[in-house]
Amino acid sequence: MRVKLLILGLLLAAAPAASAAGRLLRVTETHSLAADGSAQVNVQFNASAAAGDTLILPYAFTTWPDTIIHSGQIGSATERLSHGRRQLMLTLAESVTVQDTLRYAFALQQATPLGGPARLDFGNYDLSYRMVHTSAAPLERFTVEIILPEHFVINTILSSTPARPANAGTSPYQLGMIAGRHRVTLTDSTVLQGEVVALAFQAKSGRKSPLFIAVLVLIAGAYLILFRDLVFPGRSKA
């Protein structure tokens, strides 16, 4: 029994310092999507940590960014795979408190299917987001805001985690506009280790193509010619 306890103590002593260093408290992600399928991701968060501590942040995409730009309190940003899930590891250059807001940003070239043809009826695209909280300490609040490209609209919210209660006056997600672009914001509180925050919805372009407009003009012209007696009564006999 003592041998087993000794081995367990050695394993804990050899564990990465990131697993016990610092505490992540609140995270807000903003995803600005482009019509070509790329995305600009901006993240701000609050934490309590000392200089040299490493914070582990969730990462919801399947590819890594080429470059991560971060605020001065963050000394370095690296990526890792843990049990098949991608995580960002941010090592702090200086100590921070819950009053400090830290930021980092990155761009991805192929983040959504918007750059390709729509595979659903009526030009709809399936868009989704899924975050798994992997740190041991719970998050006080997690928010993700997804901003659609210009002229795109949200057609249907398919599902969310946390789910919207039936017949409830409140919802974990909110629809809105920012700078003339449609957006959806999902918020969850007290996110425990292993819990998921997710959103699935359909979006489509609200812009009419020039060909579609030309067809409408031709149809309107044909209507005026064929039914001119109804539109201009009495003129056909003049």
Side-chain angles (χ1 to χ4, degrees):
M1 183 65 178
R2 290 182 179 179
V3 174
K4 292 182 178 179
L5 289 176
L6 179 60
I7 295 174
L8 178 59
L10 292 174
L11 290 175
L12 291 175
S19 63
R23 182 185 175 189
L24 190 63
L25 299 171
R26 296 180 292 271
V27 179
T28 298
E29 296 185 3
T30 300
H31 302 192
S32 181
L33 308 186
D36 62 359
S38 63
Q40 176 69 37
V41 181
N42 292 276
V43 183
Q44 65 179 39
F45 64 94
N46 302 92
S48 176
D53 285 352
T54 298
L55 299 172
I56 302 174
L57 281 93
Y59 186 83
F61 296 94
T62 57
T63 58
W64 294 118
D66 294 331
T67 303
I68 299 176
I69 302 172
H70 52 76
S71 55
Q73 300 100 322
I74 302 172
S76 64
T78 57
E79 309 97 353
R80 77 170 186 180
L81 283 173
S82 177
H83 303 289
R85 299 194 180 280
R86 298 177 186 268
Q87 298 173 331
L88 285 180
M89 300 179 65
L90 305 179
T91 302
L92 300 184
E94 58 187 69
S95 61
V96 296
T97 67
V98 293
Q99 285 76 31
D100 297 313
T101 299
L102 288 76
R103 295 177 173 83
Y104 65 91
F106 56 87
L108 292 174
Q109 296 304 312
Q110 295 180 338
T112 73
L114 294 181
R119 297 183 178 181
L120 303 176
D121 293 338
F122 308 107
N124 281 297
Y125 292 86
D126 268 335
L127 299 177
S128 62
Y129 173 88
R130 189 175 188 271
M131 185 280 291
V132 180
H133 181 47
T134 55
S135 297
L139 284 174
E140 292 181 0
R141 187 179 69 248
F142 182 87
T143 300
V144 57
E145 177 187 51
I146 300 175
I147 304 173
L148 296 184
E150 292 183 0
H151 309 295
F152 273 76
V153 297
I154 297 171
N155 193 18
T156 304
I157 300 292
L158 299 174
S159 63
S160 69
T161 305
R164 179 174 183 172
N167 302 320
T170 60
S171 172
Y173 58 83
Q174 300 292 329
L175 303 176
M177 300 278 292
I178 181 171
R181 298 167 63 182
H182 288 262
R183 69 175 176 180
V184 56
T185 304
L186 177 68
T187 300
D188 194 11
S189 58
T190 315
V191 184
L192 304 177
Q193 185 179 34
E195 289 189 337
V196 173
V197 179
L199 181 69
F201 62 97
Q202 291 182 351
K204 63 181 298 185
S205 175
R207 173 184 284 177
K208 300 297 188 295
S209 68
L211 178 60
F212 179 77
I213 295 175
V215 171
L216 289 181
V217 172
L218 290 175
I219 292 175
Y223 178 89
L224 291 176
I225 293 173
L226 295 175
F227 301 98
R228 59 184 180 275
D229 291 342
L230 297 176
V231 179
F232 304 108
R235 292 191 178 185
S236 61
K237 296 180 180 180

